[in-house]
Amino acid sequence: MRWISDPLLTVDHLSMRFGGLVAINDLSFSVGRGDITALIGPNGAGKTTVFNCITGFYKPTSGRLALTHGTGAPAGAIDALTRSDLRRTRGANPELFLLERMPDHEISAQARVARTFQNIRLFPGMTVLENLIVAQHKTLMRASGLSLAGLFGLASYRAAERKAFELARAWLNVVGLADRADDPAGDLPYGAQRRLEIARAMCTNPVLLCLDEPAAGLNNRESAELTRLLRGIRSQTGVSILLIEHDMSVVMDISDHVVVIEYGVKIADGTANDVKNDPKVIAAYLGVDDEEVAAAGGGVP
Amino acid sequence: MDYFVQQLINGLTLGSIYGLIAIGYTMVYGIIGMVNFAHGDVFMLAAFIALILFLMLTQLLGVGSLGLALIVVLVLGMALTSLWGWVIERLAYRPLRGSFRLAPLISAIGMSIFLSNFVQVVQGPRNKTMEPLLSNVLVLPIGNGSVTLAEKQLLIMAVTAALLAGLWYVVKHTSLGRAQRACEQDRKMAALVGVNVDRTISLTFIMGAALASVAGLLWMTYYGVVSFNDGFVPGVKAFTAAVLGGIGSLPGAVLGGLLIGLIETFWSAYFTIDYKDVAAFSILAIVLIFLPSGLLGRPDVEKV
Amino acid sequence: MQNPGDALKKALLAALITFGLSFPIVALRTDTNLSNQLVLTERWSLAFTLSGIAFVAFLLLGLVRPAGDERATPKTARSAAPPHPFTRYLPRIGLAFLIAYPFLAVAISGSAGAVKWIDNFGIQILIYILLGWGLNIVVGLAGLLDLGYVAFYAVGAYSSALLAKNFDLSFWLTLPLAGILAAFWGLLVGLPVLRLRGDYLAIVTLAFAEIVRLVLINWVPVTGGYAGISGIPRPTIFGYSFMPGPDNIATALGLPASPLYRLFFLFYLALVLALAAYWVTTRLRTLPIGRAWEALREDEIACRSLGINTVTTKLSALAAGAFFGGIAGAFFSTRQGFISPESFTFMESAVIVAIVVLGGLGSMVGVAIAAIVMIGGTELLRELDVLKAVFGGEFDPAQYRMLLFGLAMVVLMVLRPKGLVATREPTVRLKPKVARGAPAAE
């Protein structure tokens, strides 16, 4: 129950409206530090919209998205930050961030939330390695002195670049793409592109990794590999993972915590086992997709 | 007051012509997402075709009735300009469909350069001035003054209104219009459900060229002068109009055209004629900054 | 082989369409007679000739081309094959050629004949290469469509001319100032419009360029209006000038007077500027900012998800591109000694964009080749007196210059939509490509 005892991200009363359409309505949940949390729900439930709010691509209509970079924040610290008009506590330990106040690139660069996309968004014309180097933009940009030090090849920059290069190489080995490092990312097969996108997100050195349907389009063997990969990433780096997934076997296999939403409202929240037997969840899925219910309900047709 | 109303009439006349050209830009953009840069030159070519056809009818064939001559020029001009529009799409744009974003635009810029220089080569570099047509004016009393409304201004506004009504009908109520709207939304899906995408795109270019042809004829009747490089500035202004109104939107193109015509006319009348184009372009920039999808355009929802 | 009957039918149709296109714009020519009226000259034979040419061309094409090939536009799949070894050495071969070029010109066509080859071809093409490389940062690397690049060229040319004339600044000072001012204008234009989607950026930059041109035309007290600015000071080296006069460098060195010294100087100056642009751009490409530009071109949303501030990234690309445009403008003004708004029309922007796209987006070598082909090719047309012999004395090849330029743009784009050099060289490699190749991580 780390999502209660030690939450990394707390979503409070989040609502998102597009014109008259209410995509998310007063949604609250937490993501535990070090947990793998799954956000599931039928098509159109608003899962990707939640992701887009967390990563700053959408400005929520209302609600709070609070992220802490460590344990032991004094009680009421988040509320204090909310009352101020600041986006983050600077220098405090642990640091707090209010994501709904930050632009997308700062959420990635400062709050250290990384994400992947439902329809893979690599830089297809650039090589696999370059994709991973671009992800370290912030670090390299600082090292290059806004490019001037880099322009004249200063040693400090060269050292930073070597480090970036090593990090990229390490991640290439993790996702098993080292031998394709110099090929254009767009030339990779689908499953490899998914893995590369995860590696690229990890190269930003995140505390929270948001994966939007990482198993979509993968076959059973690849899904199993993905599960192993995600577990490995978590145990090696301690990153917390929030994922949207339709493949219930993946969800039930790796999730410590499952949040179920339907029509933008939370209908269940708990461990995989709790959720699997929740009648509301079964009802929500029954109307949609028999296969998924079968998976969620443990084989009951 | 009368001065103001007079400028209003002049601005609406000019704006009607811009609006007709702007529709060509906006329709093509709506359906294939491409800026048809050569469209301004198609308009210039159409003005030449109208001029030559008119001279041919009156000088070579001895047609005495002005009305008959104008109608023949209108119909034949539309047919011939449409042929140009069709051939241009077929040769310069269709092979690049599905290519990367800039390729058709570069091809269109090349086509624009080709067309203006082609006309220069075959018709010579000098301005072509025609004797004024329909120069009777109606004098309307306004307040304690009066304004003049030339017959040709009336003609321009009437023809524009009639064409827009026709176009509106085609787009909203015919199978061609449905096919166009389908292609706008999703070309692949439209093809799957049996819409002939190539044909629909061809017809869109033909419609745009036909409207440009009418704009060319109206331009000749209004100004009575055209030269080979008259495609660029009206073309850019019409494109500006299309963007101002919200590119992809037919009413937007007309509204944008009228606005650009009015801005230009009023600026010239009340400030300085030297900077009239600066005014039109600056307003474009300002509108885009505050209303990024134009006046009537659909807001751009970012798909992540 | 296509069915001959089909080929014939298609050829007839092509002839008919050509005739439709030629009538009335080709068949009837408008001319002004002595009493200032427009009259028509009939040229039906010309229209028939064109139709005949279309007929024959399509017939031959139809008979030669295999059936069903008509729509087979080559799918330009991303080729995994390594680039031809020749392209790897092309920059070095090209550089050697460029350095030797003025001497070759003198050796081949003598000192009088070389003027044209160095000035009209060499310097002219180098200016366009410099402009192309500058715009390549914006369009080729960052993927921002700038249709008003000529505005920065104009800002550079006018600011360096005005600074030199009004404040007596040396060319060596106005040159960087022109670049900096142009970059500043790049930021100024970019700041409000960068949120706009691609095509809007294109139209706003185009509008900006038109505004700049109109201001140059109408702000007569400063810019001289249509008359432009003349008598722009020429650059000097250590106080020696290349113009006739007491401080002429040749006189001082006791050499025979010749306009070639000035041209050699301008040529090598242009070459140095272009090489500086090359060096800076290739360098920037391997830096985080350059990689961010390319990433931006590939997927802006992904960039934002990786913590890249897309606004500053775009602004830096616009400013860097504008800087080189300004430098090119300063060089242009001192080379000509005279500038007017005429040199900064939309056509210039279109030509520069065309060079960048035809060269292959992002490819420095491709841009240089495209500049040579397009600018050199059209300049060459002026020279072809042979054509006069073929088409008769009235034929003026220069008249067809831009017509063919436009046609070449269309044809090249249709045949090679990805540009002349479509392969992209990675900025960094995990494994060196060949044993003794470029260093892996620059």
Side-chain angles (χ1 to χ4, degrees), chain B residues 16-222:
Chain B
S16 302
I17 297 179
Y18 287 154
L20 284 176
I21 311 173
I23 289 174
Y25 280 109
T26 223
M27 279 178 34
V28 166
Y29 190 92
I31 202 159
I32 52 174
M34 160 201 171
V35 179
N36 180 12
F37 217 90
H39 192 60
D41 295 277
V42 170
F43 154 77
M44 175 275 301
L45 184 77
F48 264 92
I49 290 178
L51 168 70
I52 298 169
L53 287 177
F54 184 77
L55 292 176
M56 184 185 85
L57 288 172
T58 51
Q59 290 182 5
L60 298 183
L61 303 177
V63 173
S65 150
L66 181 62
L68 179 66
L70 283 181
I71 289 172
V72 174
V73 171
L74 179 75
V75 174
L76 200 54
M78 280 171 91
L80 291 169
T81 314
S82 301
L83 185 65
W84 273 97
W86 181 78
V87 170
I88 290 170
E89 194 272 334
R90 196 77 181 67
L91 295 182
Y93 306 153
R94 191 178 294 181
L96 292 172
R97 210 171 291 155
S99 185
F100 84 114
R101 193 169 56 86
L102 290 183
L105 181 73
I106 297 302
S107 188
I109 293 176
M111 195 39 100
S112 157
I113 297 174
F114 169 76
L115 284 177
S116 61
N117 285 279
F118 170 73
V119 171
Q120 182 190 9
V121 165
V122 295
Q123 292 290 333
R126 297 181 56 179
N127 276 350
K128 307 291 176 185
T129 315
M130 199 169 79
E131 283 165 63
L133 293 177
L134 300 169
S135 29
N136 292 342
V137 294
L138 306 170
V139 180
L140 308 172
I142 294 265
N144 43 14
S146 65
V147 297
T148 58
L149 176 61
E151 268 181 10
K152 53 191 175 192
Q153 292 180 312
L154 212 55
L155 176 83
I156 288 170
M157 289 189 244
V159 168
T160 306
L163 274 173
L164 291 180
L167 185 70
W168 189 249
Y169 179 81
V170 169
V171 170
K172 286 286 160 192
H173 297 287
T174 64
S175 60
L176 169 63
R178 262 196 303 282
Q180 280 178 324
R181 278 176 288 146
C183 291
E184 255 170 60
Q185 301 236 320
D186 189 337
R187 227 185 302 158
K188 215 176 268 170
M189 196 60 213
L192 283 177
V193 297
V195 173
N196 186 336
V197 174
D198 278 344
R199 193 171 140 264
T200 310
I201 293 174
S202 280
L203 281 170
T204 307
F205 272 85
I206 286 174
M207 284 162 72
L211 291 175
S213 151
V214 179
L217 171 64
L218 296 179
W219 178 277
M220 277 318 289
T221 18
Y222 195 46

Side-chain angles (χ1 to χ4, degrees), chain C residues 42-316:
Chain C
E42 297 183 53
R43 298 189 301 189
W44 296 101
S45 58
L46 186 57
F48 283 122
T49 313
L50 287 177
S51 310
I53 292 173
F55 177 80
V56 174
F58 269 75
L59 194 63
L60 290 177
L61 223 64
L63 290 176
V64 170
R65 226 170 17 175
D69 188 37
E70 202 190 336
R71 300 243 16 225
T73 6
K75 264 272 180 264
T76 43
R78 217 176 273 108
S79 65
H84 194 270
F86 178 65
T87 48
R88 280 199 41 217
Y89 296 106
L90 205 56
R92 268 169 251 178
I93 297 171
L95 179 61
F97 175 73
L98 279 174
I99 291 173
Y101 178 80
F103 295 97
L104 286 176
V106 173
I108 292 171
S109 53
S111 54
V115 170
K116 180 181 75 195
W117 289 104
I118 299 176
D119 198 16
N120 293 2
F121 285 84
I123 299 176
Q124 183 80 353
I125 289 174
L126 280 173
I127 291 180
Y128 279 95
I129 290 181
L130 181 56
L131 287 167
W133 281 345
L135 185 62
N136 183 43
I137 295 176
V138 184
V139 180
L141 294 182
L144 302 169
L145 183 51
D146 181 349
L147 286 183
Y149 191 60
V150 77
F152 306 118
Y153 188 36
V155 166
Y158 271 84
S159 53
S160 84
L162 290 171
L163 286 171
K165 281 198 77 166
N166 297 341
F167 299 101
D168 266 337
L169 295 184
S170 133
F171 169 74
W172 304 109
L173 202 57
T174 63
L175 181 75
L177 280 178
I180 291 166
L181 279 169
F184 171 73
W185 276 98
L187 293 179
L188 218 60
V189 183
L191 207 53
V193 298
L194 280 178
R195 293 183 305 125
L196 304 179
R197 60 180 194 221
D199 307 278
Y200 285 2
L201 181 67
I203 188 71
V204 172
T205 48
L206 193 161
F208 169 69
E210 279 299 296
I211 291 175
V212 166
R213 197 174 64 87
L214 290 164
V215 169
L216 293 180
I217 289 173
N218 290 308
W219 197 14
V220 181
V222 173
T223 64
Y226 279 110
I229 300 174
S230 52
I232 299 165
R234 307 296 190 141
T236 54
I237 283 192
F238 307 120
Y240 294 111
S241 95
F242 292 91
M243 301 307 280
D247 57 352
N248 183 285
I249 193 161
T251 326
L253 296 174
L255 295 168
S258 160
L260 279 180
Y261 302 122
R262 190 174 72 84
L263 292 180
F264 267 60
F265 166 70
L266 286 174
F267 180 89
Y268 286 113
L269 177 59
L271 187 59
V272 167
L273 293 175
L275 289 178
Y278 183 90
W279 182 79
V280 170
T281 312
T282 39
R283 222 36 230 194
L284 284 176
R285 246 193 101 213
T286 64
L287 288 177
I289 188 71
R291 294 210 183 95
W293 289 339
E294 287 199 75
L296 195 66
R297 176 194 67 201
E298 301 274 313
D299 195 322
E300 182 173 343
I301 287 175
C303 278
R304 280 156 49 190
S305 83
L306 297 174
I308 295 174
N309 184 336
T310 51
V311 172
T312 52
T313 306
K314 287 180 185 175
L315 279 179
S316 62

Side-chain angles (χ1 to χ4, degrees), chain A residues 46-77:
Chain A
K47 304 181 295 288
T48 299
T49 307
V50 174
F51 261 42
N52 286 340
C53 289
I54 294 174
T55 51
F57 284 90
Y58 292 162
K59 264 268 121 346
T61 314
S62 63
R64 183 173 72 181
L65 299 158
L67 185 102
T68 60
H69 269 184
T71 47

